[in-house]
């Protein structure tokens, strides 16, 4: 494979964006606009848009960290100094953050994923309680 690292990592966001668009049947910019207008209309869409934004932010941070590391490595002699090693740790942390957020997006898109059915049932119960004015069970004041 002849892709460089940045092409491969940018594909994570691109692939997940394409999966989101296929899942909801609209372009990502349309989905973001719809969610910004009606946040509570589709909780799944709201969650996906939120995590996609976090994913894109973490990808941007990873790109910055990689650029800083590459610039530092170009000026290094054969041994890497501590500041450059710190940049390498920053890249590793950025990869972990990006990959974790990518996993959340994939989980949100998988309606059969473990825990998703429970989450949908919980949301439905929360919505049905939203119209209620008082407590679910009649209570008496404390003595």
């Amino acid at each position: 494979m002849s892709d460089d690292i940045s092409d491969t990592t940018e594909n994570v966001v691109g692939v997940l964006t394409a999966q989101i668009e296929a899942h909801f049947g609209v372009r990502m910019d349309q989905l973001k606009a719809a969610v910004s207008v009606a946040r509570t209309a589709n909780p799944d869409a709201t969650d996906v848009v939120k995590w996609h934004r976090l994913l894109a932010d973490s990808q941007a941070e990873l790109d910055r960290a990689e650029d800083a590391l590459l610039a530092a490595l170009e000026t290094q002699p054969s041994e890497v100094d501590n500041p450059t090693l710190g940049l390498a740790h920053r890249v590793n942390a950025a990869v972990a953050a990006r990959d974790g957020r990518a996993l959340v997006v994939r989980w949100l898109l998988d309606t059969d994923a473990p825990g998703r059915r429970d989450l949908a049932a919980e949301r439905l119960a929360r919505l049905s309680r939203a119209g209620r004015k008082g407590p679910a069970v009649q209570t008496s004041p404390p003595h």
Side-chain angles (χ1 to χ4, degrees):
M1 193 176 257
S2 62
D3 290 351
D4 67 6
I5 291 173
S6 64
D7 287 342
T8 303
T9 57
E10 288 174 12
N11 284 337
V12 171
V13 176
V15 165
L16 288 173
T17 301
Q19 289 177 1
I20 291 168
E21 291 172 346
H23 182 83
F24 289 99
V26 295
R27 290 190 332 264
M28 193 66 203
D29 58 338
Q30 293 172 316
L31 186 61
K32 288 178 182 178
V35 165
S36 71
V37 170
R39 289 201 177 281
T40 58
N42 185 334
D44 288 337
T46 301
D47 287 346
V48 167
V49 167
K50 171 190 166 188
W51 282 97
H52 182 270
R53 179 183 44 78
L54 293 171
L55 173 63
D57 291 348
S58 62
Q59 180 62 56
E61 173 56 30
L62 174 57
D63 293 342
R64 287 188 296 273
E66 286 176 337
D67 291 345
L69 177 60
L70 290 174
L73 288 172
E74 288 174 355
T75 64
Q76 291 291 302
S78 61
E79 292 184 27
V80 176
D81 61 11
N82 283 339
T84 305
L85 189 57
L87 291 172
H89 289 302
R90 181 176 154 205
V91 168
N92 284 339
V95 167
R98 192 268 327 264
D99 289 353
R101 290 171 176 179
L103 286 172
V104 171
V105 171
R106 288 184 61 209
W107 180 81
L108 288 170
L109 293 174
D110 184 358
T111 55
D112 293 327
R116 290 287 290 149
R117 290 190 184 129
D118 296 337
L119 181 63
E122 178 185 324
R123 280 187 177 150
L124 184 60
R126 205 175 326 137
L127 288 173
S128 67
R129 287 190 308 256
R132 216 179 295 154
K133 299 289 186 238
V137 177
Q138 189 68 11
T139 60
S140 59
H143 296 290

